[in-house]
Amino acid sequence: MSASEIIGRTPLELGIFKDSGMYVNTVTSHILASKTIDDFSTDIVDRNGRTKHVLMSWCMIDYMNDHVVLTSYVDATRRKEAEAALKESEEKHRILFKEAPDGHMVLADGIVTDCNQACEHMFKADRKWLIGKAPHEFSPEFQENGEKSETAAKERIQSALTSGTKTFEWVHRKSDGTDFFTEVSLSSIVLNDKPALFASIRDITSRKKAERENAKLQIQLQQAQKMEIVGRLAGGVAHDFNNMLCVILGNAELAMKEAPAGQPIY
């Protein structure tokens, strides 16, 4: 609005307040009571019908032998939008990180600085038990392949920081001392202007047990197949030997029939 459109009209007449009752009841009572209001947050409507968020300040002053209200407006629309975006981002973080079914951790300088509820369930411990520890501290001393957990963990962390990502299988240890198999995915991130890692941990104990059972069954099947082959081979050899033996015995019987009585062959 131009100055000529504003001068001589009250705020209510200008129709800029979305809630005119708020202006009458709240603003007026505050001005009469304290004579000053600082950074009062409210919404107004501009001449194009767009809603804007403003911070308003009022104070009573003496002007030309009269008491008048000096008013200032600061457009805080972008700030409010930024605050709303931040709140939405925090909510997404809460859903994706805190409530995700897989375990999630944040590591800085190789130490756990945060984790979600899934980690607490996975390790049968609360956040306090995990935060402040290095990964090898909730792992057995050695991994399945014989690697020392402390050395192997540092190597994988460094590899993820260097390349950006690292996925591998790992044996972790719960707070009650039970070992379990996991698949760990590390992703490099920046936290407080410093390099850090986001770790996603999935319990694959059931899958590993199924793989081992399947491997045992494969070995048993291969053994059974070997025994079947040996049996067939033995059966074939016996059959061939029996055929040869029948020929030999038949010829022997014919020879005995043709030999004169009293020969030593009898």
Side-chain angles (χ1 to χ4, degrees):
M1 293 182 181
S2 64
S4 60
E5 292 176 299
I6 297 174
I7 294 174
R9 302 172 69 186
T10 68
L12 289 179
E13 290 172 334
L14 292 173
I16 61 174
F17 290 102
K18 293 193 71 175
D19 187 351
S20 58
M22 177 278 301
Y23 177 79
V24 173
N25 298 325
T26 304
V27 177
T28 304
S29 61
H30 275 69
I31 292 174
L32 294 176
S34 63
K35 296 185 178 180
T36 302
I37 298 178
D38 292 321
D39 293 337
F40 186 86
S41 179
T42 187
D43 290 332
I44 65 171
V45 180
D46 67 11
R47 65 187 305 171
N48 296 314
R50 294 173 300 190
T51 299
K52 291 188 176 182
H53 188 76
V54 297
L55 297 177
M56 303 176 64
S57 297
W58 294 270
C59 66
M60 295 285 290
I61 64 172
D62 293 324
Y63 179 72
M64 297 181 66
N65 299 320
D66 196 3
H67 294 297
V68 298
V69 178
L70 178 64
T71 309
S72 66
Y73 296 79
V74 176
D75 189 344
T77 305
R78 290 186 178 180
R79 189 177 81 175
K80 187 175 182 180
E81 290 173 350
E83 289 173 349
L86 177 60
K87 185 177 180 180
E88 182 181 357
S89 177
E90 289 174 344
E91 179 66 12
K92 288 180 180 178
H93 167 78
R94 184 184 66 80
I95 295 172
L96 294 175
F97 182 76
K98 296 295 184 182
E99 299 181 8
D102 288 339
H104 290 327
M105 291 181 179
V106 176
L107 292 90
D109 297 323
I111 302 297
V112 177
T113 60
D114 197 4
C115 67
N116 65 352
Q117 291 179 353
C119 277
E120 294 181 302
H121 295 311
M122 194 178 293
F123 288 91
K124 293 185 176 179
D126 59 23
R127 297 175 73 253
K128 294 180 180 179
W129 186 83
L130 288 163
I131 292 175
K133 285 184 170 68
H136 72 271
E137 295 181 82
F138 42 90
S139 305
E141 185 177 2
F142 294 94
Q143 291 296 302
E144 272 211 318
N145 60 1
E147 286 183 289
K148 190 173 178 61
S149 292
E150 183 175 2
T151 303
K154 289 179 179 178
E155 290 176 350
R156 285 161 175 75
I157 287 173
Q158 187 57 48
S159 176
L161 289 171
T162 302
S163 63
T165 59
K166 182 74 174 178
T167 301
F168 52 92
E169 292 185 359
W170 190 262
V171 180
H172 276 116
R173 178 164 289 172
K174 301 181 181 182
S175 61
D176 62 4
T178 304
D179 292 345
F180 64 106
F181 293 95
T182 64
E183 182 178 78
V184 181
S185 295
L186 299 178
S187 301
S188 61
I189 59 174
V190 176
L191 187 64
N192 298 325
D193 297 325
K194 294 181 179 179
L197 288 174
F198 179 81
S200 179
I201 306 170
R202 176 168 295 179
D203 189 337
I204 59 170
T205 304
S206 297
R207 190 182 82 186
K208 294 293 288 187
K209 286 182 178 179
E211 289 175 353
R212 288 183 174 182
E213 288 298 322
N214 185 57
K216 288 181 181 178
L217 291 175
Q218 288 294 330
I219 292 173
Q220 292 175 0
L221 177 60
Q222 291 173 4
Q223 199 68 21
Q225 290 173 338
K226 288 179 182 178
M227 294 301 296
E228 183 182 0
I229 292 171
V230 170
R232 288 179 180 178
L233 180 61
V237 170
H239 180 72
D240 293 340
F241 181 75
N242 187 54
N243 290 339
M244 295 172 62
L245 188 60
C246 287
V247 173
I248 293 171
L249 291 175
N251 289 332
E253 287 180 4
L254 290 175
M256 289 179 67
K257 288 180 180 181
E258 294 178 359
Q263 292 293 321
I265 61 174
Y266 283 95

